[in-house]
Amino acid sequence: MARKVAVIGAGVSGLISLKCCVEEGLEPTCFERTEDIGGLWRFKEHVEDGRASIYHSVITNTSKEMSCFSDFPMPEDFPNFLHNSKLLEYFRIFAKKFDLLKYIQFQTTVLSVKKLPDFPSSGQWEVVTQSHGQERREVFDAVMVCSGHHIIPNIPLDSFPGIEKFKGQYFHSRQYKHPVGFEGKRILVIGIGNSAADIAAELSKKAAQVFISTRHGSWVMSRISEDGYPWDMVFHTRFSSMLRNVLPRTVVKWMTEQQLNQWFNHENYGLEPQNKYLMKEPILNDDLPSRILYGAIKVKPRIKALTETAAIFEDDTVEEDIDVIVFATGYTFSFPFLEDSLVSVENNMVSLYKFMFPPQLEKPTLACIGLIQPLGSIFPTVELQARWVTRVFKGLCSLPSKNTMMADIINRNEKRTDLFGKSQSQILQTNYVDYLDELALEIGAKPDIASLLFKDPKLAVKLYFGPCNSYQYRLVGPGKWEGARNAIFTQKQRILKPLKTRALKHSSRFPSPFLLKVLGLFTLIVAFFFHFQWF
Ligand SMILES: Cc1cc2nc3c(=O)[nH]c(=O)nc-3n(C[C@H](O)[C@H](O)[C@H](O)COP(=O)(O)OP(=O)(O)OC[C@H]3O[C@@H](n4cnc5c(N)ncnc54)[C@H](O)[C@@H]3O)c2cc1C
Ligand SMILES: *[C@@H]1O[C@H](CO)[C@@H](O)[C@H](O)[C@H]1NC(C)=O
């Protein structure tokens, strides 16, 4: 049984791993390269080597009720989508509340993690760290890799012939901090992920003209869904997840397309995905369509070549006098401190069991946390990962045989490419609710809705038709939290609280006895076939 655990990185994944270790009675030590917690979410004016870098205006794309840890709801008055500084504040309160800082060694970089010679029997690792020029070796029973995957910029310069001639300024989105200095410029943003759309929309308010060049296009969603509720509260319910799984794919895709085109027609705006039948991650951006409608942003196809001052596109159109090119072309990842073979990407596939365990290890004493891109919030996802991993370390949960794990990796990857496509940017993509339930099942924290239907029907209905939030995974099993049921029932209150800044005297309420609710539910189910999104 493992006792001493090394946690690499004190971002979100590292913090939640620490909490889970402590709760399981393990002895964690966290090594963090920088002087503070928060990882990606700690904004700095200057880019730092080896750490993710965000622009000043980053706002979460997952809502607060869907992004909080399962036994620690965000403060009532926090807005529903958080500025990065506010999210960092949440992580600070969280770290303080669970007294996590004392386990972290700051300004300490992990240089290498190697198996001890007797690894097949001991499962132990030698971890070499460096702090203020001093190297240290220490033996650990287990390792949690929480070092993030938005650090190494991916700029495929080969795909942009002529870039070496280009006289203007060009940089990766990682370098972008503010719209200052871009006034009156003609700017070309390459890519169509969340960062590309954010940066293009922000710059388009100052620039003379912004262009977005995209090969594949993308669906765009608003953070605001039906009745003004956050999109993910509506999208991520067990019921809709079940429907997406059981209905024929063509039906689901058709409905999704109808729904996504309701806000604006993606074809008219030049954004329609090339392969619209893929569930490739939509981007969340409320400004992009309006900026396109104003003409401040123009959507262009793939770039064929660049000259000293111009961009030539696939359709042979040319845009002259480009001053700035922003490569919002995403990231690649690597773990320089691990042996190459441990976490490898081959044939567009990550060799990890459930995105966590290298299957070839004799002992399951090393896991990656947060090396995943769920369709929903990453925070509840990494929490369940950490809860499971720590129980595996303790020997309370076990992994199947190497062959079974390999088969699962391949099988999962086939499903993934079928759903999300083969693009390099999608290799970590996974369904949200399904993945959470899968992990919860491993630790015995998945609520049994069928049996709840008799014991606590109100709760059962909420669990099935309501938003699939993290509190659901604290109702039963190890780590059960007494406040979980209440947190589920008071969620709406916390969503509305920050909006109630102008008290209205006469708020009339529609009476809703049980029968009406049943009727309402029926209508909703019918409405699904026309709308897809509902509460
Ligand atoms: C612009 C942007 C917006 C996003 N918005 C959302 C969102 O709204 N909702 C959502 O769910 N997800 C979002 N994400 C996904 C994001 O990956 C997660 O939110 C989360 O921050 C990942 O946390 P992490 O702890 O895994 O990694 P990081 O936050 O990158 O933390 C890794 C830590 O490890 C440290 N480290 C690295 N290497 C070493 C080493 N060798 N030794 C010691 N320490 C090391 C780093 O210094 C860092 O502190 C967003 C990502 C980006 C890029
Ligand atoms: C939110 O944005 C980040 C950064 O682009 C991305 O990695 C993540 O997948 C997005 N989340 C959702 C649910 O779209």
Side-chain angles (χ1 to χ4, degrees):
M1 189 195 92
R3 264 190 28 244
K4 274 185 71 186
V5 181
V7 174
I8 306 175
V12 189
S13 303
L15 289 175
I16 195 67
S17 296
L18 280 176
K19 175 172 180 274
C20 292
C21 282
V22 175
E23 277 171 358
E24 289 295 346
L26 301 166
E27 295 164 23
T29 306
C30 175
F31 302 109
E32 166 57 47
R33 161 188 255 140
T34 67
E35 70 292 347
D36 203 351
I37 61 167
L40 183 140
W41 293 100
R42 189 158 44 83
F43 171 81
K44 276 253 181 114
E45 286 291 339
H46 300 288
V47 181
E48 289 167 42
D49 272 351
R51 190 168 72 93
S53 162
I54 53 173
Y55 37 97
H56 183 255
S57 59
V58 172
I59 306 261
T60 59
N61 51 17
T62 51
S63 73
K64 72 163 178 179
E65 279 300 306
M66 296 300 276
S67 299
C68 64
F69 294 125
S70 58
D71 54 0
F72 195 61
M74 291 204 193
E76 258 197 354
D77 59 340
F78 270 36
N80 284 285
F81 291 98
L82 305 159
H83 184 254
N84 55 77
S85 56
K86 205 76 182 162
L87 187 65
L88 181 61
E89 189 183 326
Y90 171 71
F91 295 138
R92 290 206 194 283
I93 320 175
F94 173 79
K96 197 161 169 223
K97 153 104 191 199
F98 295 100
D99 201 9
L100 304 176
L101 295 181
K102 65 181 183 202
Y103 303 104
I104 307 173
Q105 296 184 10
F106 290 106
Q107 294 181 300
T108 306
T109 304
V110 172
L111 297 180
S112 76
V113 174
K114 288 206 179 84
K115 290 178 188 173
L116 285 193
D118 67 346
F119 183 88
S121 59
S122 74
Q124 287 181 320
W125 301 88
E126 181 196 62
V127 176
V128 179
T129 57
Q130 187 178 47
S131 180
H132 305 285
Q134 295 251 316
E135 273 190 26
R136 251 191 91 186
R137 279 153 216 284
E138 222 176 319
V139 171
F140 286 92
D141 300 312
V143 177
M144 294 170 97
V145 178
C146 308
S147 51
H149 61 99
H150 290 102
I151 299 174
I152 309 164
N154 168 45
I155 307 195
L157 286 183
D158 301 350
S159 325
F160 300 91
I163 183 76
E164 68 289 345
K165 280 182 269 167
F166 182 65
K167 286 261 171 63
Q169 182 192 7
Y170 70 88
F171 53 87
H172 187 263
S173 58
R174 169 179 159 79
Q175 310 284 332
Y176 177 77
K177 293 287 170 182
H178 300 278
V180 187
F182 297 100
E183 295 82 357
K185 301 243 151 109
R186 285 168 63 81
I187 302 170
L188 172 59
V189 177
I190 299 173
I192 189 97
N194 282 291
S195 299
D198 278 354
I199 294 172
E202 183 164 273
L203 285 176
S204 72
K205 292 180 186 169
K206 308 262 163 140
Q209 181 67 54
V210 171
F211 303 96
I212 287 189
S213 158
T214 167
R215 256 181 315 174
H216 301 302
S218 177
W219 297 115
V220 183
M221 279 170 69
S222 170
R223 284 180 172 81
I224 309 168
S225 187
E226 268 165 37
D227 273 346
Y229 284 97
W231 74 274
D232 48 358
M233 314 277 307
V234 178
F235 193 84
H236 291 304
T237 68
R238 281 167 202 285
F239 177 63
S240 55
S241 179
M242 180 277 292
L243 279 184
R244 285 193 287 264
N245 284 337
V246 303
L247 290 176
R249 281 278 297 285
T250 37
V251 177
V252 174
K253 283 165 174 171
W254 180 81
M255 286 194 307
T256 312
E257 195 185 327
Q258 299 307 306
Q259 178 58 32
L260 290 167
N261 275 328
Q262 249 178 29
W263 187 25
F264 66 94
N265 181 313
H266 284 64
E267 190 186 337
N268 293 346
Y269 280 54
L271 288 168
E272 188 172 81
Q274 202 175 47
N275 185 348
K276 58 187 183 184
Y277 291 113
L278 290 177
M279 278 296 293
K280 187 176 167 297
E281 187 180 45
I283 56 175
L284 284 144
N285 198 300
D286 293 271
D287 297 333
L288 184 65
S290 62
R291 307 305 301 169
I292 294 174
L293 202 57
Y294 306 163
I297 297 179
K298 291 183 180 164
V299 182
K300 305 290 292 182
R302 190 179 70 84
I303 290 175
K304 204 161 75 177
L306 293 162
T307 69
E308 287 184 4
T309 54
I312 305 160
F313 298 90
E314 208 169 35
D315 56 359
D316 291 322
T317 54
V318 180
E319 294 296 345
E320 302 281 356
D321 301 325
I322 302 292
D323 300 303
V324 181
I325 301 178
V326 184
F327 284 91
T329 38
Y331 295 88
T332 54
F333 55 86
S334 80
F335 301 95
F337 46 84
L338 293 180
E339 282 159 54
D340 281 347
S341 59
L342 262 184
V343 182
S344 61
V345 178
E346 262 172 60
N347 308 321
N348 237 356
M349 175 170 90
V350 187
S351 60
L352 294 172
Y353 180 54
K354 299 199 199 242
F355 294 102
M356 285 177 274
F357 290 101
Q360 71 276 27
L361 288 178
E362 294 89 346
K363 289 267 157 86
T365 54
L366 180 137
C368 291
I369 307 291
L371 189 57
I372 191 162
Q373 204 160 332
L375 223 34
S377 173
I378 191 127
F379 314 119
T381 312
V382 290
E383 179 176 23
L384 275 168
Q385 286 189 328
R387 284 173 72 185
W388 182 44
V389 165
T390 46
R391 290 180 75 77
V392 171
F393 287 170
K394 268 190 87 174
L396 297 170
C397 297
S398 55
L399 300 186
S401 72
K402 183 181 162 190
N403 286 343
T404 313
M405 288 196 271
M406 293 303 292
D408 182 87
I409 292 171
I410 291 167
N411 188 350
R412 190 179 298 265
N413 195 55
E414 275 164 12
K415 281 199 198 140
R416 180 191 64 76
T417 44
D418 185 37
L419 217 54
F420 302 109
K422 289 202 166 76
S423 156
Q424 166 76 25
S425 62
Q426 305 289 308
I427 58 174
L428 300 173
Q429 196 75 54
T430 179
N431 265 337
Y432 189 58
V433 179
D434 298 344
Y435 184 71
L436 293 183
D437 270 351
E438 194 183 321
L439 297 182
L441 194 64
E442 295 281 349
I443 52 175
K446 183 174 172 221
D448 178 2
I449 297 175
S451 77
L452 271 177
L453 213 47
F454 300 100
K455 279 188 277 179
D456 193 346
K458 243 176 111 178
L459 180 62
V461 168
K462 273 258 190 249
L463 295 190
Y464 200 67
F465 294 101
C468 186
N469 48 35
S470 57
Y471 319 126
Q472 298 200 358
Y473 301 107
R474 290 281 176 190
L475 289 163
V476 292
K480 182 175 162 190
W481 174 47
E482 290 310 323
R485 187 179 185 280
N486 188 46
I488 291 171
F489 281 95
T490 51
Q491 164 167 279
K492 194 166 166 186
Q493 209 172 296
R494 284 187 302 279
I495 297 174
L496 296 181
K497 171 81 183 178
L499 297 170
K500 299 241 178 263
T501 44
R502 173 175 158 251
L504 297 181
K505 281 199 190 103
H506 313 285
S507 82
S508 63
R509 279 217 161 178
F510 191 69
S512 76
F514 184 67
L515 210 80
L516 261 181
K517 276 190 182 159
V518 173
L519 201 79
L521 197 66
F522 179 72
T523 326
L524 280 177
I525 294 171
V526 175
F528 177 84
F529 288 91
F530 300 96
H531 273 265
F532 192 63
Q533 283 189 6
W534 40 273
F535 225 48

